[in-house]
Amino acid sequence: GKANQEIQKRNQNRKQWLNILRSGSVDGKLAVARKYRQSAREISAGDAVYSTAKEAETQGAKSDLEDFDRRLRG
């Protein structure tokens, strides 16, 4: 009946939009996001600069703050 026709039309529209998105022909934010996704790299534990598992002093945080203050003063 009428409800089935509406469902089929909706599903057809969804398939068309899916094909458009998969083709990569969409301009704008989606295309930029797709490019970013391909160039993004996974961050691992070895890439971490700071960890809450260690004391701040052992990670150079104090010297970093002193360096920041020194640069701020000129």
Side-chain angles (χ1 to χ4, degrees):
K2 186 177 179 181
N4 284 338
Q5 287 177 344
E6 290 175 2
I7 292 170
Q8 287 177 348
K9 185 176 180 179
R10 183 192 66 211
N11 288 341
Q12 184 179 8
N13 285 336
R14 287 180 177 176
K15 284 181 184 180
Q16 287 175 344
W17 278 111
L18 180 61
N19 289 335
I20 290 170
L21 290 173
R22 285 184 176 165
S23 73
S25 63
V26 177
D27 291 329
K29 290 183 179 181
L30 290 174
V32 172
R34 187 175 291 109
K35 288 180 186 177
Y36 177 74
R37 180 192 73 206
Q38 292 171 351
S39 66
R41 69 180 183 94
E42 187 174 326
I43 305 298
S44 66
D47 295 322
V49 176
Y50 179 81
S51 170
T52 57
K54 301 177 188 175
E55 292 294 323
E57 291 83 23
T58 64
Q59 299 182 65
K62 186 175 181 181
S63 63
D64 289 344
L65 290 173
E66 289 170 352
D67 181 50
F68 177 79
D69 289 339
R70 182 183 52 79
R71 290 177 186 222
L72 190 61
R73 287 188 291 258

